[in-house]
Amino acid sequence: MTQQQWMSLLGLANRARKLISGEELVVKEVRSGKAKLVLLASDASKNTEKKISDKCAYYQIPLKRVENRSLLGQAIGKEARVVVAVLDEGFAQKLRTLLD
């Protein structure tokens, strides 16, 4: 049930325009400090995984992993997505509790 909950919440965040997807855009938001939470697909390439996890660690942005890229894309109503950043603190806190 929690899988359905976090996916619904992520879709809601997307409709509220509090979400950004795509590697370069997420890195930009992490650098600017606007990203409150980053979600990374477990099937991301090693290069992408290292780049995103290093940026999140350096800028102290929480990083959570989800099962796969198609699930992440499905949650926001788009094709497969490897990484998304949540830009709203409220959505980020709730997603963190659902994904723990």
Coordinates of all heavy atoms in Angstrom, one line a residue:
M1 N 0.8 -1.2 0.0 CA 0.0 0.0 0.0 C 0.9 1.3 0.0 O 0.5 2.2 -0.6 CB -0.9 0.0 1.2 CG -1.9 1.1 1.3 SD -3.0 1.2 -0.2 CE -3.8 2.7 0.0
T2 N 2.0 1.2 0.7 CA 2.8 2.4 0.8 C 3.4 2.8 -0.6 O 3.6 4.0 -0.9 CB 4.0 2.3 1.8 OG1 4.7 1.1 1.5 CG2 3.5 2.3 3.2
Q3 N 3.6 1.8 -1.5 CA 4.1 2.1 -2.8 C 3.1 2.9 -3.6 O 3.4 3.9 -4.2 CB 4.3 0.8 -3.6 CG 4.8 1.1 -5.0 CD 5.1 -0.2 -5.8 OE1 5.4 -1.2 -5.2 NE2 5.0 -0.1 -7.1
Q4 N 1.8 2.6 -3.4 CA 0.7 3.3 -4.1 C 0.7 4.8 -3.5 O 0.4 5.7 -4.2 CB -0.6 2.6 -3.9 CG -1.7 3.1 -4.7 CD -1.4 2.9 -6.2 OE1 -1.0 1.9 -6.6 NE2 -1.7 4.0 -7.0
Q5 N 0.9 4.9 -2.2 CA 0.8 6.2 -1.5 C 1.9 7.1 -2.0 O 1.6 8.3 -2.3 CB 0.9 6.0 0.0 CG -0.3 5.4 0.6 CD -0.2 5.2 2.1 OE1 0.9 4.7 2.6 NE2 -1.2 5.5 2.9
W6 N 3.2 6.7 -2.0 CA 4.2 7.6 -2.4 C 4.1 7.9 -3.9 O 4.4 9.1 -4.3 CB 5.6 7.1 -2.1 CG 6.2 5.9 -2.9 CD1 6.3 4.6 -2.6 CD2 6.8 6.1 -4.2 NE1 6.9 3.9 -3.6 CE2 7.2 4.8 -4.6 CE3 7.1 7.1 -5.1 CZ2 7.9 4.5 -5.8 CZ3 7.7 6.9 -6.3 CH2 8.1 5.6 -6.6
M7 N 3.6 7.0 -4.7 CA 3.4 7.3 -6.1 C 2.3 8.3 -6.3 O 2.5 9.3 -7.1 CB 3.1 6.0 -6.9 CG 4.3 5.1 -7.1 SD 3.9 3.6 -8.0 CE 3.6 4.2 -9.6
S8 N 1.3 8.2 -5.6 CA 0.2 9.2 -5.6 C 0.6 10.6 -5.2 O 0.3 11.6 -5.8 CB -1.0 8.8 -4.8 OG -1.5 7.6 -5.2
L9 N 1.4 10.6 -4.1 CA 1.9 11.9 -3.6 C 2.9 12.5 -4.6 O 2.9 13.8 -4.8 CB 2.6 11.7 -2.2 CG 3.0 12.9 -1.5 CD1 1.7 13.7 -1.1 CD2 3.8 12.6 -0.2
L10 N 3.7 11.7 -5.2 CA 4.6 12.2 -6.2 C 3.9 12.8 -7.4 O 4.2 13.9 -8.0 CB 5.6 11.1 -6.7 CG 6.9 11.6 -7.3 CD1 7.7 12.3 -6.3 CD2 7.7 10.4 -7.8
G11 N 2.8 12.1 -7.8 CA 1.9 12.6 -8.9 C 1.3 14.0 -8.5 O 1.2 14.9 -9.4
L12 N 0.9 14.1 -7.3 CA 0.3 15.3 -6.8 C 1.3 16.5 -6.8 O 1.0 17.6 -7.2 CB -0.3 15.1 -5.4 CG -1.1 16.2 -4.8 CD1 -2.3 16.5 -5.6 CD2 -1.4 15.9 -3.3
A13 N 2.5 16.2 -6.4 CA 3.6 17.1 -6.4 C 3.9 17.6 -7.8 O 4.2 18.8 -8.1 CB 4.9 16.5 -5.7
N14 N 3.8 16.7 -8.7 CA 4.1 17.0 -10.1 C 3.0 17.9 -10.7 O 3.3 18.9 -11.3 CB 4.1 15.7 -11.0 CG 4.5 16.0 -12.4 OD1 5.5 16.7 -12.7 ND2 3.8 15.4 -13.3
R15 N 1.7 17.6 -10.3 CA 0.7 18.5 -10.8 C 0.7 19.9 -10.1 O 0.3 20.9 -10.7 CB -0.7 17.8 -10.5 CG -1.0 16.6 -11.4 CD -2.4 16.1 -11.4 NE -2.7 15.5 -10.1 CZ -2.4 14.3 -9.6 NH1 -1.6 13.5 -10.4 NH2 -2.7 13.9 -8.4
A16 N 1.3 19.9 -9.0 CA 1.4 21.2 -8.3 C 2.7 22.0 -8.7 O 3.0 23.0 -8.2 CB 1.5 21.0 -6.8
R17 N 3.4 21.4 -9.7 CA 4.6 21.9 -10.3 C 5.7 22.1 -9.2 O 6.5 23.1 -9.2 CB 4.4 23.2 -11.0 CG 3.4 23.0 -12.2 CD 3.2 24.3 -12.9 NE 2.2 24.1 -14.0 CZ 2.5 24.0 -15.3 NH1 3.7 24.1 -15.7 NH2 1.5 23.8 -16.1
K18 N 5.8 21.2 -8.3 CA 6.8 21.2 -7.3 C 7.8 20.1 -7.5 O 8.4 19.5 -6.5 CB 6.2 21.0 -5.9 CG 5.2 22.1 -5.5 CD 5.9 23.4 -5.3 CE 4.9 24.5 -4.9 NZ 5.5 25.8 -4.9
L19 N 8.0 19.7 -8.8 CA 8.8 18.5 -9.1 C 9.6 18.8 -10.4 O 9.1 19.5 -11.3 CB 7.9 17.3 -9.4 CG 8.5 15.9 -9.2 CD1 8.6 15.6 -7.8 CD2 7.5 15.0 -9.9
I20 N 10.8 18.4 -10.4 CA 11.6 18.5 -11.6 C 12.3 17.2 -11.9 O 12.6 16.4 -11.0 CB 12.7 19.6 -11.4 CG1 13.3 20.2 -12.7 CG2 13.8 19.2 -10.5 CD1 12.5 21.3 -13.2
S21 N 12.3 16.8 -13.2 CA 12.9 15.5 -13.5 C 14.0 15.7 -14.6 O 14.0 16.7 -15.3 CB 11.8 14.5 -14.0 OG 11.3 15.0 -15.2
G22 N 14.9 14.7 -14.7 CA 16.0 14.8 -15.6 C 17.3 15.1 -14.9 O 17.3 16.0 -14.0
E23 N 18.3 14.4 -15.2 CA 19.6 14.5 -14.5 C 20.2 15.9 -14.4 O 20.4 16.4 -13.3 CB 20.6 13.6 -15.2 CG 21.9 13.4 -14.4 CD 22.9 12.5 -15.1 OE1 22.5 11.7 -16.0 OE2 24.1 12.6 -14.8
E24 N 20.3 16.6 -15.5 CA 20.9 17.9 -15.5 C 20.1 18.9 -14.7 O 20.6 19.8 -14.0 CB 21.2 18.4 -16.9 CG 22.3 17.6 -17.6 CD 23.6 17.5 -16.9 OE1 24.1 18.5 -16.3 OE2 24.1 16.3 -16.8
L25 N 18.8 18.9 -14.9 CA 17.9 19.8 -14.2 C 17.9 19.5 -12.7 O 17.9 20.5 -11.9 CB 16.5 19.7 -14.7 CG 16.2 20.2 -16.2 CD1 14.9 19.8 -16.7 CD2 16.5 21.7 -16.2
V26 N 17.9 18.3 -12.3 CA 18.0 17.9 -10.9 C 19.3 18.4 -10.3 O 19.3 19.0 -9.2 CB 17.8 16.4 -10.7 CG1 18.2 16.0 -9.3 CG2 16.4 16.0 -11.0
V27 N 20.4 18.2 -11.0 CA 21.7 18.7 -10.5 C 21.7 20.2 -10.3 O 22.2 20.7 -9.3 CB 22.9 18.2 -11.4 CG1 24.2 19.0 -11.1 CG2 23.1 16.7 -11.3
K28 N 21.1 20.9 -11.2 CA 21.0 22.4 -11.1 C 20.2 22.8 -9.9 O 20.6 23.7 -9.2 CB 20.3 22.9 -12.4 CG 20.3 24.4 -12.5 CD 19.6 24.8 -13.8 CE 18.8 26.0 -13.5 NZ 17.6 26.1 -14.3
E29 N 19.1 22.1 -9.6 CA 18.3 22.4 -8.5 C 18.9 22.1 -7.2 O 18.8 22.8 -6.2 CB 16.9 21.7 -8.5 CG 16.0 22.2 -9.7 CD 15.7 23.6 -9.7 OE1 15.6 24.2 -8.6 OE2 15.6 24.2 -10.8
V30 N 19.7 21.0 -7.2 CA 20.5 20.6 -6.0 C 21.5 21.7 -5.7 O 21.7 22.1 -4.5 CB 21.1 19.2 -6.1 CG1 22.2 18.9 -5.1 CG2 20.1 18.1 -6.1
R31 N 22.2 22.1 -6.7 CA 23.3 23.2 -6.5 C 22.7 24.5 -6.0 O 23.3 25.1 -5.2 CB 23.9 23.4 -7.9 CG 25.0 22.5 -8.2 CD 25.9 23.1 -9.3 NE 26.7 22.0 -9.9 CZ 26.7 21.6 -11.1 NH1 25.9 22.2 -12.0 NH2 27.5 20.7 -11.6
S32 N 21.5 24.8 -6.5 CA 20.9 26.1 -6.1 C 20.2 26.0 -4.7 O 19.9 27.0 -4.1 CB 19.8 26.5 -7.1 OG 18.7 25.7 -7.0
G33 N 20.1 24.8 -4.2 CA 19.5 24.6 -2.9 C 18.0 24.5 -2.9 O 17.4 24.5 -1.8
K34 N 17.4 24.5 -4.0 CA 15.9 24.4 -4.1 C 15.4 23.0 -3.9 O 14.2 22.9 -3.5 CB 15.5 25.0 -5.5 CG 15.6 26.5 -5.6 CD 15.1 27.0 -7.0 CE 15.5 28.4 -7.2 NZ 15.3 28.8 -8.6
A35 N 16.2 22.0 -4.3 CA 15.7 20.6 -4.1 C 15.7 20.3 -2.6 O 16.6 20.6 -1.9 CB 16.7 19.7 -4.8
K36 N 14.5 19.7 -2.2 CA 14.4 19.3 -0.8 C 14.5 17.8 -0.6 O 14.8 17.3 0.5 CB 13.0 19.7 -0.3 CG 12.7 21.2 -0.5 CD 13.6 22.1 0.3 CE 13.2 23.6 0.1 NZ 14.4 24.4 0.2
L37 N 14.4 17.1 -1.7 CA 14.5 15.6 -1.7 C 14.7 15.1 -3.1 O 14.1 15.7 -4.1 CB 13.2 15.0 -1.2 CG 13.1 13.4 -1.3 CD1 14.1 12.8 -0.3 CD2 11.7 13.0 -1.0
V38 N 15.6 14.2 -3.3 CA 15.9 13.6 -4.6 C 15.6 12.1 -4.6 O 15.9 11.4 -3.7 CB 17.4 13.8 -5.0 CG1 17.7 13.1 -6.3 CG2 17.7 15.3 -5.1
L39 N 14.8 11.7 -5.6 CA 14.5 10.3 -5.8 C 15.2 9.7 -6.9 O 15.2 10.3 -8.0 CB 13.0 10.1 -6.0 CG 12.1 10.7 -4.9 CD1 10.6 10.5 -5.3 CD2 12.3 10.0 -3.6
L40 N 15.9 8.6 -6.7 CA 16.8 8.0 -7.7 C 16.3 6.6 -8.0 O 16.1 5.9 -7.0 CB 18.3 8.1 -7.3 CG 19.3 7.5 -8.2 CD1 19.4 8.3 -9.5 CD2 20.7 7.4 -7.5
A41 N 16.2 6.2 -9.2 CA 15.8 4.8 -9.6 C 17.0 3.9 -9.3 O 18.1 4.2 -9.6 CB 15.4 4.8 -11.0
S42 N 16.7 2.7 -8.7 CA 17.7 1.8 -8.4 C 18.4 1.2 -9.7 O 19.5 0.7 -9.6 CB 17.1 0.6 -7.6 OG 16.7 1.1 -6.4
D43 N 17.7 1.3 -10.8 CA 18.3 0.8 -12.0 C 19.0 1.9 -12.9 O 19.2 1.7 -14.0 CB 17.3 0.1 -12.9 CG 16.1 0.9 -13.3 OD1 16.0 2.0 -12.8 OD2 15.3 0.5 -14.1
A44 N 19.4 3.0 -12.2 CA 20.1 4.1 -12.9 C 21.6 3.6 -13.2 O 22.1 2.7 -12.5 CB 20.2 5.3 -11.9
S45 N 22.2 4.2 -14.2 CA 23.5 3.8 -14.5 C 24.5 4.2 -13.4 O 24.2 5.1 -12.6 CB 24.0 4.5 -15.8 OG 24.2 5.9 -15.5
K46 N 25.6 3.5 -13.3 CA 26.6 3.7 -12.2 C 27.1 5.2 -12.2 O 27.2 5.8 -11.2 CB 27.8 2.8 -12.3 CG 27.4 1.3 -12.1 CD 27.1 1.1 -10.7 CE 26.7 -0.4 -10.5 NZ 25.8 -0.6 -9.3
N47 N 27.3 5.7 -13.4 CA 27.7 7.1 -13.6 C 26.7 8.1 -13.0 O 27.1 9.0 -12.3 CB 28.0 7.3 -15.1 CG 28.7 8.6 -15.3 OD1 29.4 9.2 -14.4 ND2 28.6 9.1 -16.5
T48 N 25.5 7.9 -13.4 CA 24.4 8.8 -12.9 C 24.2 8.6 -11.4 O 24.1 9.6 -10.7 CB 23.1 8.4 -13.6 OG1 23.2 8.6 -15.0 CG2 21.9 9.3 -13.2
E49 N 24.3 7.4 -10.9 CA 24.1 7.1 -9.5 C 25.2 7.9 -8.7 O 24.9 8.5 -7.7 CB 24.2 5.6 -9.3 CG 23.7 5.2 -7.9 CD 23.6 3.7 -7.8 OE1 23.4 3.0 -8.8 OE2 23.8 3.2 -6.6
K50 N 26.4 7.8 -9.2 CA 27.6 8.4 -8.5 C 27.4 9.9 -8.5 O 27.6 10.6 -7.5 CB 28.9 8.0 -9.1 CG 30.1 8.6 -8.4 CD 31.4 8.1 -8.8 CE 32.6 8.8 -8.3 NZ 32.5 9.6 -7.1
K51 N 27.1 10.5 -9.7 CA 27.0 11.9 -9.8 C 25.9 12.5 -8.9 O 26.1 13.4 -8.2 CB 26.6 12.2 -11.3 CG 26.5 13.7 -11.6 CD 26.2 13.8 -13.1 CE 26.3 15.2 -13.6 NZ 26.0 15.4 -15.0
I52 N 24.7 11.9 -8.9 CA 23.6 12.3 -8.1 C 23.9 12.1 -6.6 O 23.7 13.1 -5.8 CB 22.3 11.6 -8.5 CG1 21.9 11.9 -10.0 CG2 21.1 12.0 -7.6 CD1 21.6 13.4 -10.3
S53 N 24.4 11.0 -6.2 CA 24.6 10.7 -4.8 C 25.7 11.6 -4.2 O 25.6 12.1 -3.1 CB 24.9 9.3 -4.5 OG 26.1 8.8 -5.2
D54 N 26.8 11.9 -5.1 CA 27.8 12.8 -4.6 C 27.3 14.3 -4.5 O 27.6 14.9 -3.5 CB 29.0 12.8 -5.6 CG 29.8 11.5 -5.6 OD1 29.6 10.7 -4.7 OD2 30.7 11.4 -6.4
K55 N 26.5 14.7 -5.4 CA 25.9 16.1 -5.3 C 25.1 16.2 -4.1 O 25.1 17.2 -3.4 CB 25.1 16.4 -6.6 CG 25.9 16.7 -7.8 CD 26.5 18.1 -7.8 CE 27.3 18.4 -9.0 NZ 28.7 18.8 -8.8
C56 N 24.2 15.2 -3.9 CA 23.3 15.2 -2.7 C 24.1 15.2 -1.4 O 23.7 15.9 -0.5 CB 22.3 14.1 -2.8 SG 21.1 14.3 -4.1
A57 N 25.1 14.4 -1.4 CA 25.9 14.4 -0.1 C 26.6 15.7 0.1 O 26.6 16.2 1.2 CB 27.0 13.3 -0.2
Y58 N 27.2 16.3 -0.9 CA 27.9 17.6 -0.8 C 27.0 18.7 -0.4 O 27.3 19.5 0.5 CB 28.6 17.9 -2.1 CG 29.4 19.2 -2.0 CD1 30.7 19.2 -1.4 CD2 28.9 20.4 -2.5 CE1 31.4 20.3 -1.3 CE2 29.7 21.6 -2.4 CZ 30.9 21.5 -1.8 OH 31.7 22.7 -1.7
Y59 N 25.8 18.8 -1.0 CA 24.9 19.9 -0.7 C 23.9 19.5 0.4 O 22.9 20.3 0.7 CB 24.1 20.3 -2.0 CG 25.0 21.0 -2.9 CD1 25.6 20.3 -4.0 CD2 25.3 22.4 -2.8 CE1 26.4 21.0 -4.9 CE2 26.2 23.0 -3.7 CZ 26.7 22.3 -4.7 OH 27.5 23.0 -5.6
Q60 N 24.0 18.3 1.0 CA 23.2 17.8 2.1 C 21.7 17.8 1.8 O 20.9 18.3 2.5 CB 23.5 18.7 3.4 CG 24.9 18.6 3.8 CD 25.2 19.5 5.0 OE1 24.5 20.4 5.3 NE2 26.3 19.2 5.7
I61 N 21.4 17.2 0.6 CA 20.0 17.0 0.2 C 19.7 15.5 0.4 O 20.5 14.7 0.0 CB 19.9 17.4 -1.3 CG1 20.4 18.8 -1.6 CG2 18.4 17.2 -1.8 CD1 19.6 19.9 -1.0
P62 N 18.6 15.2 1.1 CA 18.2 13.8 1.3 C 18.0 13.1 -0.1 O 17.5 13.6 -1.0 CB 16.9 13.9 2.1 CG 16.8 15.2 2.5 CD 17.6 16.1 1.7
L63 N 18.5 11.8 -0.1 CA 18.4 11.0 -1.3 C 17.7 9.7 -1.0 O 18.1 9.1 0.0 CB 19.8 10.7 -1.9 CG 19.9 9.8 -3.1 CD1 19.3 10.4 -4.3 CD2 21.3 9.4 -3.3
K64 N 16.6 9.4 -1.7 CA 15.9 8.2 -1.5 C 15.9 7.4 -2.8 O 15.9 8.0 -3.9 CB 14.5 8.4 -1.1 CG 14.3 9.1 0.2 CD 14.5 8.1 1.3 CE 14.4 8.7 2.7 NZ 14.9 7.9 3.8
R65 N 16.0 6.1 -2.7 CA 15.9 5.2 -3.9 C 14.6 4.6 -4.0 O 13.9 4.2 -3.1 CB 17.0 4.1 -3.8 CG 18.4 4.7 -3.6 CD 19.5 3.7 -4.0 NE 20.8 4.2 -3.6 CZ 21.5 5.1 -4.3 NH1 21.0 5.7 -5.3 NH2 22.7 5.5 -3.9
V66 N 14.1 4.4 -5.3 CA 12.9 3.7 -5.6 C 13.2 2.5 -6.5 O 14.3 2.5 -7.1 CB 11.9 4.7 -6.3 CG1 11.4 5.8 -5.3 CG2 12.4 5.3 -7.5
E67 N 12.3 1.6 -6.6 CA 12.6 0.3 -7.3 C 13.2 0.5 -8.7 O 14.2 -0.1 -9.0 CB 11.3 -0.5 -7.4 CG 10.8 -1.1 -6.1 CD 9.9 -0.1 -5.3 OE1 9.1 0.6 -6.0 OE2 10.1 0.0 -4.1
N68 N 12.5 1.2 -9.6 CA 13.0 1.3 -11.0 C 12.5 2.5 -11.7 O 11.6 3.2 -11.2 CB 12.6 0.0 -11.8 CG 11.1 -0.2 -11.8 OD1 10.3 0.7 -12.1 ND2 10.7 -1.4 -11.6
R69 N 13.1 2.8 -12.8 CA 12.8 4.0 -13.6 C 11.4 4.1 -14.1 O 10.8 5.2 -14.2 CB 13.8 4.2 -14.7 CG 13.9 3.2 -15.7 CD 14.9 3.4 -16.8 NE 16.2 3.1 -16.3 CZ 17.3 3.6 -16.8 NH1 17.3 4.3 -17.9 NH2 18.5 3.3 -16.3
S70 N 10.8 2.9 -14.5 CA 9.5 3.0 -15.1 C 8.4 3.3 -14.0 O 7.5 4.0 -14.3 CB 9.1 1.6 -15.7 OG 9.2 0.6 -14.8
L71 N 8.7 2.9 -12.7 CA 7.8 3.2 -11.6 C 7.8 4.7 -11.3 O 6.8 5.3 -11.1 CB 8.2 2.4 -10.4 CG 7.1 1.7 -9.7 CD1 7.3 0.2 -9.8 CD2 7.1 2.1 -8.2
L72 N 9.0 5.3 -11.4 CA 9.2 6.7 -11.1 C 8.5 7.5 -12.2 O 7.8 8.5 -11.9 CB 10.7 7.0 -11.1 CG 11.2 8.3 -10.4 CD1 10.6 8.3 -9.0 CD2 12.7 8.3 -10.3
G73 N 8.7 7.1 -13.5 CA 8.0 7.8 -14.6 C 6.5 7.7 -14.5 O 5.8 8.6 -14.7
Q74 N 6.0 6.5 -14.2 CA 4.6 6.2 -14.0 C 4.0 7.1 -13.0 O 2.9 7.6 -13.1 CB 4.4 4.7 -13.7 CG 3.0 4.3 -13.6 CD 2.8 2.9 -13.1 OE1 3.8 2.1 -13.1 NE2 1.7 2.5 -12.6
A75 N 4.7 7.3 -11.9 CA 4.2 8.1 -10.7 C 3.9 9.5 -11.1 O 3.0 10.1 -10.6 CB 5.2 8.0 -9.6
I76 N 4.7 10.1 -12.1 CA 4.5 11.4 -12.5 C 3.8 11.5 -13.9 O 3.7 12.6 -14.4 CB 5.8 12.2 -12.5 CG1 6.9 11.7 -13.5 CG2 6.4 12.3 -11.1 CD1 8.1 12.5 -13.6
G77 N 3.3 10.4 -14.4 CA 2.6 10.4 -15.6 C 3.4 10.7 -16.9 O 2.9 11.2 -17.8
K78 N 4.7 10.3 -16.8 CA 5.5 10.4 -18.0 C 6.2 9.1 -18.3 O 6.0 8.1 -17.6 CB 6.6 11.5 -17.7 CG 6.0 12.9 -17.5 CD 7.1 14.0 -17.5 CE 6.4 15.3 -17.7 NZ 6.3 16.1 -16.5
E79 N 7.0 9.1 -19.3 CA 7.8 7.8 -19.6 C 8.9 7.7 -18.5 O 9.0 8.5 -17.6 CB 8.4 7.9 -21.0 CG 9.6 8.8 -21.2 CD 9.1 10.2 -21.6 OE1 7.9 10.5 -21.6 OE2 10.0 11.0 -21.9
A80 N 9.6 6.6 -18.6 CA 10.6 6.3 -17.6 C 11.5 7.5 -17.2 O 12.0 8.2 -18.0 CB 11.5 5.1 -18.0
R81 N 11.6 7.7 -15.9 CA 12.5 8.7 -15.3 C 13.5 8.1 -14.4 O 13.1 7.3 -13.6 CB 11.7 9.8 -14.6 CG 10.8 10.6 -15.4 CD 11.6 11.6 -16.2 NE 10.8 12.6 -16.9 CZ 10.5 12.6 -18.1 NH1 10.9 11.6 -18.9 NH2 9.8 13.6 -18.7
V82 N 14.8 8.5 -14.5 CA 15.8 8.0 -13.6 C 15.9 8.8 -12.3 O 16.1 8.2 -11.2 CB 17.2 7.9 -14.3 CG1 18.3 7.5 -13.4 CG2 17.1 7.0 -15.5
V83 N 15.7 10.1 -12.4 CA 15.9 10.9 -11.2 C 14.9 12.1 -11.2 O 14.6 12.6 -12.2 CB 17.4 11.4 -11.1 CG1 17.8 12.3 -12.2 CG2 17.6 12.1 -9.8
V84 N 14.3 12.3 -10.0 CA 13.4 13.5 -9.9 C 13.8 14.2 -8.6 O 14.3 13.6 -7.6 CB 11.9 13.1 -9.9 CG1 11.5 12.5 -11.1 CG2 11.6 12.3 -8.7
A85 N 13.6 15.5 -8.5 CA 13.8 16.3 -7.3 C 12.5 17.0 -6.9 O 11.8 17.5 -7.8 CB 14.8 17.4 -7.6
V86 N 12.2 16.9 -5.6 CA 11.0 17.5 -5.1 C 11.4 18.9 -4.5 O 12.4 19.0 -3.8 CB 10.4 16.7 -3.9 CG1 9.2 17.3 -3.3 CG2 10.1 15.2 -4.4
L87 N 10.7 19.9 -4.9 CA 11.1 21.3 -4.6 C 10.3 21.9 -3.5 O 10.6 23.0 -3.1 CB 10.9 22.2 -5.9 CG 11.6 21.7 -7.1 CD1 11.2 22.6 -8.3 CD2 13.1 21.6 -7.0
D88 N 9.4 21.1 -2.9 CA 8.6 21.6 -1.8 C 8.8 20.9 -0.5 O 8.9 19.6 -0.5 CB 7.1 21.5 -2.2 CG 6.2 22.0 -1.1 OD1 6.0 23.2 -1.0 OD2 5.6 21.2 -0.4
E89 N 9.1 21.6 0.6 CA 9.5 20.9 1.9 C 8.3 20.0 2.4 O 8.6 19.0 2.9 CB 9.8 22.0 2.9 CG 10.4 21.5 4.2 CD 11.7 20.7 4.0 OE1 12.6 21.2 3.3 OE2 11.7 19.5 4.5
G90 N 7.1 20.4 2.3 CA 6.0 19.6 2.7 C 5.9 18.3 2.0 O 5.8 17.2 2.6
F91 N 5.9 18.3 0.7 CA 5.9 17.1 -0.1 C 7.1 16.2 0.2 O 7.0 15.0 0.4 CB 5.9 17.4 -1.6 CG 4.6 17.8 -2.2 CD1 4.4 19.0 -2.8 CD2 3.5 16.9 -2.1 CE1 3.2 19.4 -3.3 CE2 2.3 17.3 -2.6 CZ 2.1 18.6 -3.2
A92 N 8.3 16.9 0.4 CA 9.5 16.1 0.6 C 9.5 15.4 2.0 O 9.8 14.2 2.1 CB 10.7 17.1 0.6
Q93 N 9.0 16.1 3.0 CA 8.9 15.4 4.3 C 7.9 14.2 4.3 O 8.3 13.2 4.8 CB 8.4 16.4 5.4 CG 9.4 17.4 5.8 CD 8.9 18.4 6.9 OE1 7.7 18.6 7.0 NE2 9.8 19.0 7.6
K94 N 6.8 14.4 3.7 CA 5.8 13.3 3.6 C 6.4 12.1 2.8 O 6.2 10.9 3.2 CB 4.5 13.8 3.0 CG 3.4 12.8 3.0 CD 3.0 12.4 4.4 CE 1.8 11.4 4.3 NZ 1.5 10.7 5.5
L95 N 7.0 12.4 1.7 CA 7.7 11.3 0.9 C 8.7 10.6 1.6 O 8.9 9.4 1.5 CB 8.2 11.9 -0.4 CG 7.2 12.2 -1.6 CD1 7.8 13.1 -2.6 CD2 6.8 10.8 -2.2
R96 N 9.5 11.3 2.4 CA 10.6 10.7 3.2 C 10.0 9.7 4.2 O 10.5 8.6 4.4 CB 11.4 11.7 4.0 CG 12.5 12.4 3.1 CD 13.6 13.0 4.0 NE 13.1 14.2 4.8 CZ 13.1 15.4 4.3 NH1 13.5 15.7 3.2 NH2 12.6 16.4 5.1
T97 N 8.9 10.1 4.8 CA 8.2 9.2 5.8 C 7.6 7.9 5.1 O 7.7 6.8 5.6 CB 7.1 9.8 6.6 OG1 6.1 10.3 5.8 CG2 7.7 11.0 7.5
L98 N 7.1 8.1 3.9 CA 6.5 7.0 3.1 C 7.6 6.1 2.6 O 7.3 4.9 2.4 CB 5.6 7.5 2.0 CG 4.3 8.2 2.4 CD1 3.6 8.8 1.2 CD2 3.4 7.2 3.1
L99 N 8.7 6.6 2.3 CA 9.8 5.8 1.6 C 10.8 5.2 2.7 O 11.6 4.4 2.3 CB 10.6 6.6 0.6 CG 9.8 6.9 -0.7 CD1 10.5 8.0 -1.5 CD2 9.6 5.7 -1.5
D100 N 10.6 5.5 3.9 CA 11.5 4.9 5.0 C 11.1 3.5 5.3 O 10.0 3.1 5.1 CB 11.5 5.8 6.2 CG 12.5 7.0 6.1 OD1 13.4 6.9 5.2 OD2 12.3 7.9 6.8

